[in-house]
Amino acid sequence: MIDHTGIVVSDYEKSRAFYETALAPLGFTKVLEFPAAVDAFCRAAMDAEGCDSGAPGIRAHYHPNYYGAFVLDPDGHNIEAVCHQ
C-alpha cells in the first residue's frame, strides 16, 4: 500500500510516463491479492523502460508467502510490488 512518497527525478515527463505505465496494472488497488498483479506490474515496468532489479518470485527470506518484484525506474530508484497471499 502506498500512503505517500516523494522522489527526485531528472526528467519529469519520462518519469511520469514510466510510472503511469508501470502502475497502471495496479489501478487503485490497496493490497495486491494475487501474484498475477505483481507479474503485471513487472511486465508493464519493463515495457516502460524500467530495469529488472529482481524478477517476480517468492522471497522466502522475508516470509514464506512474500511474492515480489523489483524494478529500477529511469533514475535508478528501486520500486517494489508485493503480494503477501
Side-chain angles (χ1 to χ4, degrees), residues 43-84:
R43 281 191 306 273
M46 295 298 103
D47 289 346
E49 299 181 26
C51 294
D52 184 351
S53 186
I58 293 289
R59 304 298 196 275
H61 56 283
Y62 294 137
H63 67 72
N65 296 324
Y66 195 106
Y67 187 90
F70 300 85
V71 298
L72 300 178
D73 76 357
D75 286 292
H77 299 292
N78 193 44
I79 309 300
E80 176 189 12
V82 63
C83 173
H84 295 282

Side-chain angles (χ1 to χ4, degrees), residues 10-51:
S10 61
D11 182 331
Y12 175 78
E13 291 303 326
K14 184 175 183 176
S15 291
R16 179 179 173 170
F18 169 81
Y19 281 102
E20 285 178 350
T21 300
L23 299 178
L26 306 181
F28 289 102
T29 302
K30 291 184 180 179
V31 177
L32 299 184
E33 297 179 0
F34 303 102
V38 174
D39 296 344
F41 157 79
C42 189
R43 281 191 306 273
M46 295 298 103
D47 289 346
E49 299 181 26
C51 294

